[in-house]
Amino acid sequence: MRRNQNVELITVIRGSTIIKGFFLILVMMLFVFSVSGLLTSLKPEYRISSQSVHETARVFSGEMLFSLISQENHYFQEALPNKEPTPALSKQLLKLSANISLDDPRSLLGRELPGFSIFDSEILVAGEGTNYTNMPYESAPPPEVMHSEREAALQNLEAIDEPENKSIGSTNGKKVVYIYHTHNRESYLPYLKDVKNPDLAYHSKINVTKLGEKLSQELEEKGIGTLVDKTDVMGNLTKKGLTFPKAYQESRGVVQQAIASNNHLEYVIDIHRDSKRKEQTTITINGKNYAKLAFVVGGENAQFQKNVAIAEKLHYMLEKKFPGLSRGVLKQQGPRVNGKYNQDLSENAMLLEFGGVDNTFEELYRSVEAFSIVFSDYYWNEVNAKEVNSESKTEGK
């Protein structure tokens, strides 16, 4: 005979265990929020990043993101342009999976043809005659040029009008423009004896630094205080055993030190020269030859939108006063280029390409003078606008 036995299970939960669990969850939440806040507050160059995630996110535009979200929440459709068609999801998926864009034939050839990567840049604003076949690019010098102590003999030096280093006490003694040269030894063939190869157009004395000195002189005469950095960046690379692609890394510290030591600096300008030949880098205006200039903006820097805004503004001002002088505003990013160009250090950072390997200083100086005229108009208009806004706020109190 069996007996039915009722077994009762009693579970005892201690109050201290509940309290410990609650505090453990609270501590974990505080830890997650603290780490997240720390990571997002770091400067862009110190943040943890993933190249693959970055490339994936770069494929999807803002319009595509809003289009996808609007499928569930129709209110997001108001953020889309009224007249533009909704981006096709199939095209975006093809670009994401195969890195091929049906709207850009370069994506079909870029990985197959040697040297085709120089056309990876994007034209934001095209100047007269500018297209994807004649965009500015900088070719790295051969290693023997970087490490050789023997330089080309100079010629035609009598034709160089040396800039005068003088200051007229502009902007109330404040230095508001900082000029430097990441590729400071970029030179010009007309001054290098027996040098015909554009890849060999480098020299420690006759180079783009003279354009920085000339621009400083022109801006000072127009009342804009300017600092010119003369650091031999490329020489430092050789001493440290670093290669040409590390140039921006080397010049970054120079710019950071300048910004940290001068609270008045507002504009940062890096001057370069293009590797293109004379027919693509020269224009005749009012019977005189000018070396064309181009604005290059790194697409992977935190200040990109503001850098583009000032470049576009100056481009259109140049077009108005000196038609055809500007080759346009170009965006460069991707695995084969720097993508920042130290422009994340200032919202008013610029990289200017003055002329090409065949231009003369006479042509280059004319272009520098033209840029200084336009930039000074832009600068003083900005100063006046700030003063008007400041007075309006004061009167409103």
Side-chain angles (χ1 to χ4, degrees):
M1 183 175 180
R2 296 180 178 178
R3 293 183 180 180
N4 294 327
Q5 296 180 351
N6 296 326
V7 179
E8 296 182 357
L9 298 177
I10 300 175
T11 301
V12 178
I13 300 176
R14 296 181 179 180
S16 59
T17 303
I18 297 176
I19 295 175
K20 289 180 180 178
F22 173 78
F23 276 108
L24 180 62
I25 294 174
L26 181 62
V27 170
M28 288 297 295
M29 292 179 64
L30 289 175
F31 176 77
V32 170
F33 282 115
S34 298
V35 172
S36 301
L38 177 62
L39 292 176
T40 54
S41 63
L42 291 174
K43 294 182 178 180
E45 60 268 24
Y46 299 128
R47 294 178 187 171
I48 299 174
S49 62
S50 169
Q51 183 67 25
S52 59
V53 173
H54 175 76
E55 290 296 322
T56 301
R58 192 159 60 89
V59 169
F60 290 95
S61 62
E63 290 82 1
M64 173 58 69
L65 177 62
F66 279 109
S67 177
L68 291 174
I69 298 177
S70 66
Q71 300 300 318
E72 296 296 330
N73 188 333
H74 297 300
Y75 285 105
F76 281 91
Q77 291 181 348
E78 298 179 3
L80 294 170
N82 294 328
K83 297 183 180 180
E84 294 189 10
T86 302
L89 181 60
S90 58
K91 289 184 178 181
Q92 297 297 327
L93 291 177
L94 177 62
K95 187 175 181 180
L96 177 62
S97 59
N99 199 23
I100 294 176
S101 173
L102 298 179
D103 299 322
D104 189 354
R106 294 176 300 161
S107 62
L108 296 170
L109 304 172
R111 293 189 298 273
E112 303 300 329
L113 300 180
F116 204 81
S117 60
I118 64 174
F119 303 113
D120 282 346
S121 302
E122 178 182 349
I123 300 176
L124 299 179
V125 180
E128 181 181 334
T130 299
N131 55 55
Y132 285 108
T133 67
N134 57 20
M135 294 171 63
Y137 75 96
E138 294 177 326
S139 60
E144 57 269 22
V145 174
M146 287 286 294
H147 300 289
S148 176
E149 295 182 0
R150 182 167 176 257
E151 292 185 312
L154 298 174
Q155 62 183 5
N156 301 325
L157 299 185
E158 65 279 358
I160 299 179
D161 179 20
E162 293 292 335
E164 298 179 19
N165 294 320
K166 62 180 182 180
S167 174
I168 60 173
S170 54
T171 53
N172 297 320
K174 300 176 182 178
K175 303 297 183 180
V176 297
V177 175
Y178 178 73
I179 300 172
Y180 72 109
H181 314 83
T182 296
H183 297 157
N184 64 293
R185 294 193 179 189
E186 290 178 327
S187 188
Y188 300 90
L189 292 176
Y191 306 97
L192 306 179
K193 189 175 182 179
D194 298 327
V195 178
K196 306 299 181 182
N197 186 349
D199 293 337
L200 303 181
Y202 290 84
H203 202 276
S204 64
K205 297 182 176 62
I206 303 301
N207 48 50
V208 294
T209 59
K210 291 195 172 296
L211 304 186
E213 295 172 3
K214 179 65 174 178
L215 180 57
S216 173
Q217 174 193 339
E218 294 294 328
L219 293 180
E220 289 279 359
E221 290 177 356
K222 295 171 179 61
I224 302 175
T226 308
L227 284 175
V228 182
D229 181 80
K230 297 184 179 180
T231 301
D232 185 5
V233 175
M234 295 181 68
N236 291 344
L237 289 181
T238 301
K239 293 177 182 178
K240 296 179 180 180
L242 300 176
T243 57
F244 189 78
K246 298 294 184 182
Y248 289 98
Q249 173 184 306
E250 183 68 22
S251 65
R252 186 177 186 84
V254 176
V255 179
Q256 287 176 320
Q257 183 178 359
I259 294 176
S261 60
N262 190 333
N263 295 329
H264 301 302
L265 289 181
E266 299 178 36
Y267 297 88
V268 177
I269 302 176
D270 190 5
I271 294 180
H272 294 249
R273 70 106 171 97
D274 191 12
S275 296
K276 294 288 187 183
R277 306 310 298 257
K278 189 160 187 173
E279 64 272 11
Q280 296 176 334
T281 63
T282 311
I283 188 172
T284 301
I285 302 175
N286 296 327
K288 296 181 179 180
N289 285 345
Y290 287 72
K292 289 187 177 183
L293 62 89
F295 298 88
V296 178
V297 183
E300 299 172 19
N301 82 83
Q303 305 284 1
F304 172 73
Q305 295 297 339
K306 293 179 179 179
N307 294 159
V308 168
I310 184 174
E312 290 183 349
K313 179 66 174 179
L314 290 171
H315 164 77
Y316 287 119
M317 291 177 69
L318 281 167
E319 280 292 282
K320 188 174 181 179
K321 287 196 173 185
F322 303 92
L325 181 62
S326 174
R327 298 171 68 185
V329 181
L330 311 172
K331 173 184 176 183
Q332 293 192 352
Q333 64 181 43
R336 298 179 184 87
V337 299
N338 182 273
K340 286 185 179 180
Y341 305 113
N342 298 328
Q343 293 172 338
D344 56 313
L345 299 177
S346 171
E347 63 184 38
N348 294 324
M350 285 174 270
L351 190 158
L352 295 176
E353 298 266 7
F354 276 99
V357 291
D358 298 312
N359 286 112
T360 66
F361 278 103
E362 184 180 17
E363 297 162 343
L364 292 160
Y365 284 166
R366 288 195 187 111
S367 300
V368 170
E369 292 172 7
F371 176 79
S372 70
I373 291 172
V374 168
F375 180 82
S376 63
D377 289 343
Y378 172 85
Y379 176 80
W380 291 119
N381 286 335
E382 287 291 304
V383 170
N384 292 334
K386 290 177 182 178
E387 291 178 352
V388 170
N389 291 335
S390 177
E391 291 175 0
S392 299
K393 291 179 181 180
T394 303
E395 292 175 357
K397 291 183 179 180

